[in-house]
Amino acid sequence: MTACAIEPAADDADGAARPECTITADGAYAARLALDGDSWFPERWTLDGPEPYAVPLPGNQPEEPGTEVQPMGDGRVLIRRLADGRHTFSLLYPTGPGTGELPLGAVECPDEGSRLRLLPPAPGGERAYGLAVGRRSSAVWLVAGGAFGPEHLAEIPGRCSGGVWLDHTGRMLALDREVGGRTKTVVVDLERGGEVSPLLQIAADSDDRLLLADPDSGLLLIRSDAPSPGQDRLGWGVLGSMLPVRFPECLRVPECTVTPFAIQPGQVLTPESCAVALRVDGPLGSWLGVWRPARRRMHHLPAPEGWLAGAGLWTGDGVLHLPYATAEAPCGLARVPAPSGEAGDTGRAGDAGAEGPVRDGTAAGSTSDTASGEPSEPDPPNPVALRPVPLQEAPLGRLVTK
């Protein structure tokens, strides 16, 4: 038997940086690996109280830097370790001055070069899933919340990456599957034996990945090279709509990587009005972008000091919560109201003192729409109610617009 390699913690298969902490789907808890001198240890954050607070969960020995942790809905923390050629899973919880640990079992990956990583937190917080990627196929595992330890749920031909939940029940999982040198997003139905159906196929020769989805509105954030072959661009669509995927010019920032990480929930009938938070990584560091599909500009805001980059969530009324850690505030939560989108409004940052000028890839105060000199995209269509169309019957439009 050959052990699986540890999935790098720095970035995902498509090159996007991974967040420095993980937040439950309901925003109640977060977990990360924290550093004490040269030693790594798990840490749980409670976010749904009056003030956030952290609980350290150190084990008998320091953790490896590539160890993964994920918060569960009941406040326990799932940990994945590589030991003796196996990926072992345990639930950690505070017990007075110490840390309790409930072993869950292990997953073996016999194929050389196989990788295993945790999928994003599932809705409900009662279950956790892992994705094992081999040379020719990928497997979805239930690693926490099952009756008898890790359970193999689905085997998918091809090498898969990503992982986005499309509903509030944890049934429909979207994965980016590479087959024949092309990457397309498929849906895995975990209640029908892992049945696979296509979701995102913009053009025959394009690489199309799903980065983010909001189950309430159906808003999808997509990365694809369909409009610019050989060059990835960010786009958006609506699940169940036959309208084409759109690729706004304002989401292009020269010499920077732009990654969406949170969508405002609760906008059931108006996906175009959802606020989207984006992480912008460039030569000068990382900062925030805030954008709505109905607007033709992206607001660029300085990130709070110590931001756990790539981590955050929206409230239903449009306030972005960003976890941060500094020497003075080792467990903090910045609150950033969404810019209204009106002319001259640059937005503001909240508790972390992150107020400052608008930043973008050119000059402070300018907007990305006009920086390239290209014409702005036409106004989006009027909001359309999302119909309950089964996912396997609701492909996105095959056309693309610049």
Side-chain angles (χ1 to χ4, degrees):
M1 182 190 70
T2 302
C4 293
I6 293 179
E7 186 78 7
D11 50 56
D12 285 323
D14 66 352
R18 293 174 62 184
E20 295 181 17
C21 82
T22 304
I23 305 175
T24 55
D26 63 359
Y29 295 101
R32 67 167 184 147
L33 278 187
L35 189 62
D36 180 13
D38 295 329
S39 300
W40 295 94
F41 66 92
E43 189 176 69
R44 185 198 71 193
W45 289 28
T46 299
L47 304 178
D48 60 350
E51 295 294 336
Y53 65 92
V55 175
L57 296 170
N60 296 326
Q61 60 186 25
E63 304 293 346
E64 295 294 328
T67 299
E68 284 188 294
V69 293
Q70 185 174 117
M72 303 296 290
D74 59 5
R76 293 182 294 180
V77 172
L78 174 69
I79 187 167
R80 177 190 67 85
R81 302 181 180 106
L82 182 62
D84 299 327
R86 302 185 304 166
H87 292 270
T88 62
F89 300 90
S90 296
L91 289 174
L92 308 179
Y93 53 93
T95 56
T99 300
E101 181 167 340
L102 175 64
L104 299 177
V107 173
E108 298 182 0
C109 298
D111 292 336
E112 183 177 358
S114 296
R115 297 177 181 270
L116 188 148
R117 64 176 176 85
L118 294 177
L119 288 166
E126 297 176 355
R127 297 186 170 197
Y129 299 84
L131 178 68
V133 183
R135 288 178 295 178
R136 298 182 180 86
S137 66
S138 304
V140 177
W141 286 82
L142 174 65
V143 298
F148 306 104
E151 178 183 348
H152 182 274
L153 298 181
E155 193 76 22
I156 303 121
R159 296 178 60 86
C160 293
S161 59
V164 177
W165 297 102
L166 298 176
D167 61 357
H168 287 295
T169 66
R171 172 179 176 175
M172 296 296 191
L173 173 66
L175 295 171
D176 302 324
R177 180 175 66 172
E178 179 186 350
V179 176
R182 293 295 176 191
T183 300
K184 305 290 184 183
T185 302
V186 297
V187 177
V188 182
D189 188 336
L190 298 182
E191 290 189 5
R192 298 185 66 177
E195 180 180 277
V196 177
S197 56
L199 175 68
L200 189 62
Q201 300 185 63
I202 299 177
D205 58 351
S206 63
D207 290 319
D208 312 316
R209 295 179 172 88
L210 180 63
L211 305 183
L212 212 57
D214 173 53
D216 291 332
S217 63
L219 179 64
L220 307 177
L221 272 296
I222 295 153
R223 194 186 304 278
S224 173
D225 62 355
S228 305
Q231 191 174 37
D232 284 340
R233 291 183 58 174
L234 281 182
W236 67 279
V238 178
L239 187 66
S241 171
M242 295 306 295
L243 294 175
V245 177
R246 303 170 70 85
F247 294 88
E249 188 64 29
C250 66
L251 296 183
R252 303 179 73 180
V253 182
E255 300 181 2
C256 294
T257 300
V258 182
T259 307
F261 64 88
I263 300 177
Q264 179 185 0
Q267 314 301 303
V268 177
L269 300 180
T270 55
E272 294 88 355
S273 69
C274 292
V276 179
L278 308 105
R279 171 181 175 177
V280 186
D281 296 292
L284 300 179
S286 301
W287 64 92
L288 291 171
V290 178
W291 165 81
R292 299 178 191 269
R295 303 289 181 179
R296 288 177 291 175
R297 65 173 298 187
M298 178 167 62
H299 295 266
H300 295 258
L301 308 172
E305 180 183 359
W307 177 41
L308 303 180
L313 73 156
W314 288 102
T315 64
D317 55 358
V319 177
L320 179 62
H321 288 187
L322 301 172
Y324 68 93
T326 64
E328 296 77 19
C331 177
L333 194 65
R335 296 172 175 86
V336 183
S340 67
E342 300 300 329
D345 177 17
T346 62
R348 67 184 190 277
D351 298 345
E355 293 189 18
V358 173
R359 296 176 59 184
D360 63 16
T362 53
S366 64
T367 62
S368 298
D369 284 342
T370 57
S372 66
E374 297 186 19
S376 299
E377 64 167 2
D379 290 332
N382 293 327
V384 178
L386 181 65
R387 293 174 297 174
V389 181
L391 294 178
Q392 61 266 30
E393 298 174 12
L396 296 178
R398 295 183 179 273
L399 302 178
V400 295
T401 58
K402 295 184 179 180

